[in-house]
Amino acid sequence: MAKILILGGGFAGLIAAKRLALSLDPSHEVTLVSPGRNFTFYPALVHLAFGECTVEDISFDLANSLKELGVRFVRGEVIRINPERQKAEIVGDDFDGELGYDYLIFAMGRRLATEKVPGFFEHAQHLLGVNAALKFGELVRNFREGKIIVGLCPDGRLPVPVCETAFALARKFETEMRDGKIRVSVIFPESLEAAFGGANLHIELEAAFERHHINVLYDVPISEILFNEVLSSKKHQIKCDLLMLVPPFRGHAMLRDLGITDDADFVRVDGFMRVHGMEKTYAVGDIVAFSGPKFAHMAVGQAETAAENIISEIKGEEPGKEYYHEIAAIIDAGGPDSIYLHYGIWDDSLYRLKKGRFWGWAKDSHDAFWLMKHK
């Protein structure tokens, strides 16, 4: 019997747990540790902010979902890992102690490093959580006049909700923007191509921004936020009345002592999702030190890769499934300007870009199906 311990209950952790539970003999034990019981479908948080869905529509009880599969759920935080003893120390409401494992999967996601941008906590909003999305939505509903900025901080690595928020604002304030009462701007710390891992979509996306009267600013690496003003390391000073930014991403500092992380605390892995320097250990999702943006689609692919390779190891075989690092994303502009992008970050010979109202519908249908399937 193998004990498999998964640390993290986001997309990567959930998919890895389900894949293992459905593929392995019930004699094997799969345990997932997460600080909260609820799973949130993060790609829908823009819809939540703009009142297009409810919290109940985009979340479900993770513990109950896993219980039906025979996966043990532990609510708690991982404090430290002892790879020599193959133990993880957990502190939480329903467990306080050590959990042993034969195979370990790091799936804890990224940390929002708001401290890297002075003034972020005091003056900026973000959409990376239910409460944050609801708060921003309330501010939008009460906004009457002025300049709204949405954008990425350096190392924010999540461009799609920035674009979708800008388009949602343009739809909501169409009359006010036409009359000049409200202005919407989008900020990127580098080029648009860099934000999307090298994908060339600037012509289509810039044209869509222009049609919606959204101003775009490139090469603005935000370094500090003051009251009603954004500063950059390139000496920009940009006034604003409402600010929504994706903050810098970092990994988890508690992993540094293991010697498995890069300078930003993301975990280094090979193409099989195995952690460098730790046997029978894998990492998946936003915690992984891969280049480019961090999307849910990537986390799912990495989780499936790691799970399949663990199954191979349990069978006494060598891991054989390699992960392919790609973007498969839809930017929902709420109409004919919606964009579908499929791009190979490690192999730019893969490039597909399509536009049309269909892709917004496709995204909504996919999201609804995914939630129904995994609840």
Side-chain angles (χ1 to χ4, degrees):
M1 182 192 80
K3 292 183 177 180
I4 306 161
L5 179 61
I6 302 169
L7 303 178
F11 278 98
L14 172 62
I15 294 302
K18 295 192 76 167
R19 177 78 167 83
L20 289 163
L22 292 172
S23 302
L24 290 173
D25 184 277
S27 64
H28 300 291
E29 181 181 288
V30 181
T31 301
L32 184 144
V33 178
S34 176
R37 284 182 62 98
N38 285 337
F39 176 91
T40 299
F41 190 79
Y42 271 63
L45 286 173
V46 174
H47 292 303
L48 178 66
F50 285 86
E52 297 165 0
C53 62
T54 66
V55 175
E56 291 72 26
D57 291 332
I58 64 168
S59 62
F60 58 85
D61 189 298
L62 182 61
N64 286 342
S65 178
L66 293 174
K67 184 178 180 180
E68 294 178 2
L69 295 168
V71 176
R72 179 188 179 190
F73 174 81
V74 174
R75 183 174 182 179
E77 298 268 4
V78 56
I79 302 301
R80 63 179 57 84
I81 304 294
N82 188 322
E84 289 78 21
R85 296 176 54 233
Q86 292 185 297
K87 300 282 188 181
E89 185 176 343
I90 309 296
V91 174
D93 294 341
D94 56 1
F95 187 91
D96 192 345
E98 291 185 330
L99 289 173
Y101 63 86
D102 298 303
Y103 296 90
L104 178 65
I105 300 178
F106 291 115
M108 296 111 73
R110 74 288 182 274
R111 181 177 68 84
L112 302 183
T114 56
E115 76 281 358
K116 296 292 182 181
V117 181
F120 191 107
F121 181 80
E122 295 86 355
H123 306 301
Q125 309 299 318
H126 66 79
L127 287 176
L128 301 180
V130 167
N131 292 334
L134 292 173
K135 181 182 178 183
F136 177 68
E138 183 178 1
L139 292 171
V140 168
R141 286 191 294 275
N142 293 326
F143 196 81
R144 297 293 178 265
E145 186 173 1
K147 184 174 182 180
I148 305 175
I149 288 178
V150 297
L152 289 176
C153 291
D155 297 322
R157 305 180 71 172
L158 199 58
V160 169
V162 169
C163 299
E164 291 188 336
T165 299
F167 287 125
L169 288 166
R171 293 195 301 273
K172 179 175 179 59
F173 295 121
E174 182 180 0
T175 300
E176 294 86 346
M177 291 174 68
R178 186 174 57 245
D179 295 342
K181 292 178 63 177
I182 291 177
R183 292 167 294 157
V184 177
S185 295
V186 179
I187 288 178
F188 293 98
E190 300 175 280
S191 66
L192 194 57
E193 293 93 330
F196 281 89
N200 182 13
L201 75 166
H202 68 281
I203 294 175
E204 290 80 5
L205 196 48
E206 285 174 352
F209 283 142
E210 184 176 356
R211 279 190 288 273
H212 289 263
H213 308 290
I214 298 166
N215 185 39
V216 187
L217 301 173
Y218 300 120
D219 298 316
V220 182
I222 295 170
S223 58
E224 187 176 0
I225 302 169
L226 307 176
F227 179 72
N228 286 2
E229 189 172 30
V230 173
L231 309 180
S232 86
S233 58
K234 293 188 176 181
K235 310 302 181 184
H236 297 93
Q237 294 179 280
I238 304 170
K239 299 290 185 181
C240 63
D241 300 290
L242 179 58
L243 181 64
M244 193 289 286
L245 297 173
V246 174
F249 288 179
R250 290 291 186 275
H252 294 269
M254 54 84 58
L255 300 177
R256 289 177 193 165
D257 291 343
L258 298 175
I260 60 174
T261 59
D262 64 8
D263 292 339
D265 296 326
F266 293 114
V267 177
R268 297 188 301 267
V269 299
D270 63 15
F272 299 99
M273 305 312 301
R274 296 177 299 192
V275 175
H276 292 301
M278 287 182 68
E279 293 184 357
K280 297 185 177 180
T281 303
Y282 291 75
V284 293
D286 288 356
I287 192 66
V288 171
F290 282 159
S291 60
K294 294 183 178 291
F295 294 155
H297 168 79
M298 297 171 175
V300 169
Q302 292 163 17
E304 291 175 342
T305 298
E308 186 167 326
N309 287 328
I310 288 175
I311 292 166
S312 295
E313 285 203 64
I314 290 173
K315 293 178 178 178
E317 303 169 358
E318 284 294 314
K321 183 176 177 62
E322 290 194 64
Y323 169 69
Y324 181 68
H325 197 38
E326 64 180 2
I327 291 174
I330 294 174
I331 302 171
D332 184 5
D337 286 317
S338 297
I339 294 174
Y340 166 76
L341 173 67
H342 192 189
Y343 174 73
I345 296 177
W346 292 343
D347 177 11
D348 60 9
S349 63
L350 170 61
Y351 176 79
R352 262 184 283 172
L353 189 147
K354 299 181 180 180
K355 284 183 59 182
R357 191 182 304 273
F358 166 80
W359 295 108
W361 297 336
K363 185 171 187 175
D364 289 343
S365 298
H366 170 270
D367 292 355
F369 176 77
W370 197 97
L371 280 163
M372 180 180 67
K373 178 181 177 182
H374 293 283
K375 276 187 176 180

